[in-house]
Amino acid sequence: MVDRLRSAAEQLEAPICPDCHVEMKWFRSELLADEPTPIIAHLFVCPHCKRAAKVDTIFRGSQAPPDKLSAPRFVACAA
């Protein structure tokens, strides 16, 4: 999960405050959902008027399904 947060932060662009027209400063990031689609919310605050803004990073499914499922290593027998 930390790798996802780092990659999301690297590609993040800070929003512009609609009141002050300056770049907002990053405040924190938090995981909103992990399954089925990971979503990270990034919160920003204007350094002048303290207005808050949120930018979501939604990860697209890049994992391919396995070719075959693994079989159990043992078989439970009823006695």
Side-chain angles (χ1 to χ4, degrees):
M1 178 35 80
V2 175
D3 293 334
R4 284 184 182 164
L5 185 58
R6 276 195 193 123
S7 68
E10 289 172 358
Q11 300 171 7
L12 196 59
E13 186 173 321
I16 302 297
C17 178
D19 294 334
C20 304
H21 305 288
V22 296
E23 187 174 282
M24 299 176 103
K25 300 295 180 191
W26 176 85
F27 178 66
R28 75 174 189 209
S29 297
E30 60 186 43
L31 180 65
L32 294 181
D34 193 23
E35 295 293 332
T37 304
I39 302 172
I40 297 176
H42 306 280
L43 305 173
F44 292 86
V45 176
C46 176
H48 297 285
C49 70
K50 307 302 181 206
R51 182 183 189 129
K54 181 178 90 162
V55 176
D56 290 343
T57 300
I58 301 172
F59 293 90
R60 303 289 177 219
S62 60
Q63 295 178 342
D67 291 336
K68 67 177 189 176
L69 299 175
S70 61
R73 294 181 184 232
F74 58 92
V75 177
C77 298

